[in-house]
Amino acid sequence: MAAMAPSAVVPQQFQFAAAVTPAENGDCGRPETRRRRDEFAVIETRPVQIDNKRGTSGSPIKVLANYFRLLSMPQCCIHKYHVEFTPTVESSRMRRALLVDFMHMFDKCLVFDGMSDLKSPKRLDQDITEVISQRRTDGVITCVRFKWVQELAPLDPELLRLFNTQMRRNLERLDFVQINRHFFDRRAVASIPQYGLELWQGLVAAIGQYESGVMLVTDTLYKVLRRDSVFDLMSQIQHVPNYKDECVKRVAGCIVMTPYNNKTYRVDDIDWDKNPACTFETKEGPKTYADYYRDHYEKRIRDMRQPLLVCRPKEKDLRAGRTENIYLVPELCVLTGLTDEAEKVMQGSNTYRYSVATADFSRETRYRPLHVAVAVESWIVFCHRCEEANVTEFMRTLMSVCPPMGLNIRQPRLVLLDDDRPSGFVYALRQLAIGGNIELALIVLPNSRKDRYDIIKKEACVDLGLHTQASRGYCSLSPEVGSEIQ
């Protein structure tokens, strides 16, 4: 692959045909909503009325983008199979493990998405092939059924799904762990033990069809995870008065993650009448929660008396016909998000706690030294002549509050305008920008009209390349303006 901008032109033979519906390609009757829409849709990155995004003037420059072009396409036909497991196997990791013994049937060349979709250049002799596998963990006999669906041509849009599945498998081979739809590097985890937190570094990697061809886009992301489980939290407060009410208060509304499948759920309530020894209906018949997690995820529950967390169906679940509650075992659920103790801001050498009541740091951080301060040597203040008195007082206050914050700001030059229309500000900016050597322009506006603000910011930032800060100019906002200048 090669790095490139998404609008570059590539040969037409790398363009996929339009995607077909499951009814057209014989996709075993699976609903179309199960497809990942980002794998088949053409991603538009430029307006339809233009051919390219090249400029018509100026000097060309080289830029790099986080897009990588697919340089070659498969030159062989790929066969698609639908895989079924009887009895049902919920864990994708266990489904992959069951297929290991049968990789020789596909000449050890296949891509399995962990659910039911398998692709391989190998065509099995029969349209339907059934094999028997025995789970090594508990000896349960499982029937694995491979059903041939179709042959994919070299430019079939289904290949995008194959590419993304292979990319996810590549990340798994690199020891990345999947949380929801993204992958995170378990070797690049920053631990924050004093708060029981971990910062995980992840990677977004998606292969899609763009106007110019197939490309891979990559980006980084981060996720904060907590080490303690819901059961740990409930155990810590078991001696407080009104224990059950306090547990519901602490847990209801929280987002939890289940590490056995790396999915997240929103907890709505706690069912004190249910525990892991209770049974529920499965495709194999009634089964206890403890047996279910042992058979499907190899998880053994220690406390059989703990209540179960209740997750009510969302609107999309109701639309799909899933109306029953989901019950989770607190012992197997990890809390997400930050605790009140961990929610704080660091500014300079000081640390300020987060106020849940006001959700505001401004009072605690006002007039305090900033973490990094930059000196401003040459800057200008624009305002209308009728605002001269207010702006002069504003500048005096600003110069007095900046030193305690660690800001080294020289006295600015004040420019008074006779015209408060947008054209007056634009003309003054152009005249003063010609001389150059202006680090910042502080523009004091008479009111909050958006059209004036947009015109001035476009002229300053886009046309003149000048750093600007717009303000109403009240003295009470001086600390905030000083911070924003930095």
Side-chain angles (χ1 to χ4, degrees), residues 37-52:
R37 65 182 64 182
D38 59 336
E39 290 177 335
F40 289 164
V42 176
I43 303 172
E44 303 289 347
T45 63
R46 62 173 179 255
V48 295
Q49 67 271 17
I50 64 174
D51 296 330
N52 59 65

Side-chain angles (χ1 to χ4, degrees), residues 46-91:
R46 62 173 179 255
V48 295
Q49 67 271 17
I50 64 174
D51 296 330
N52 59 65
K53 294 187 285 188
R54 293 190 181 94
T56 57
S57 62
S59 302
I61 60 173
K62 290 185 177 181
V63 296
L64 291 177
N66 55 334
Y67 289 81
F68 300 86
R69 185 197 305 173
L70 188 66
L71 298 181
S72 62
M73 297 291 294
Q75 299 303 313
C76 61
C77 290
I78 304 297
H79 297 275
K80 177 180 178 180
Y81 297 86
H82 181 77
V83 186
E84 295 179 355
F85 298 86
T86 307
T88 303
V89 179
E90 298 289 345
S91 171

Side-chain angles (χ1 to χ4, degrees), residues 279-454:
T279 61
F280 69 102
E281 291 295 329
T282 68
K283 293 182 179 180
E284 296 84 34
K287 183 176 291 189
T288 67
Y289 289 93
D291 292 340
Y292 173 82
Y293 286 108
R294 182 196 62 206
D295 297 341
H296 289 272
Y297 298 104
E298 303 178 31
K299 297 293 183 180
R300 285 170 170 76
I301 299 174
R302 299 190 304 270
D303 191 332
M304 298 296 292
R305 297 176 299 173
Q306 59 185 302
L308 299 184
L309 307 179
V310 181
C311 303
R312 299 190 179 97
K314 303 177 183 178
E315 289 188 7
K316 65 177 182 180
D317 297 323
L318 296 175
R319 290 194 296 267
R322 296 186 292 270
T323 59
E324 296 183 354
N325 294 335
I326 296 176
Y327 293 90
L328 303 175
V329 180
E331 186 179 312
L332 303 180
C333 297
V334 177
L335 292 163
T336 64
L338 300 177
T339 62
D340 293 343
E341 292 76 13
E343 290 181 337
K344 58 179 63 177
V345 62
M346 297 183 65
Q347 182 170 308
S349 59
N350 300 314
T351 302
Y352 308 99
R353 293 198 176 276
Y354 177 76
S355 175
V356 179
T358 61
D360 186 14
F361 287 117
S362 61
R363 176 174 296 181
E364 290 78 6
T365 60
R366 181 175 290 188
Y367 306 115
R368 300 295 193 275
L370 298 177
H371 188 63
V372 177
V374 179
V376 180
E377 301 288 342
S378 175
W379 61 299
I380 300 176
V381 178
F382 294 90
C383 72
H384 189 261
R385 190 172 298 278
C386 65
E387 297 283 346
E388 180 179 3
N390 292 332
V391 172
T392 301
E393 177 63 19
F394 169 76
M395 291 169 53
R396 186 190 65 80
T397 306
L398 180 65
M399 299 304 295
S400 65
V401 301
C402 284
M405 300 168 64
L407 303 179
N408 183 14
I409 299 181
R410 294 284 185 90
Q411 185 72 28
R413 174 185 172 187
L414 179 61
V415 177
L416 301 177
L417 306 179
D418 296 322
D419 185 1
D420 66 351
R421 291 177 299 178
S423 58
F425 285 93
V426 170
Y427 178 78
L429 283 171
R430 289 176 179 174
Q431 294 300 312
L432 292 173
I434 295 176
N437 197 29
I438 298 177
E439 300 178 39
L440 174 72
L442 176 60
I443 304 171
V444 182
L445 302 175
N447 53 47
S448 301
R449 280 179 49 188
K450 187 177 184 301
D451 59 338
R452 176 193 283 111
Y453 176 86
D454 291 343

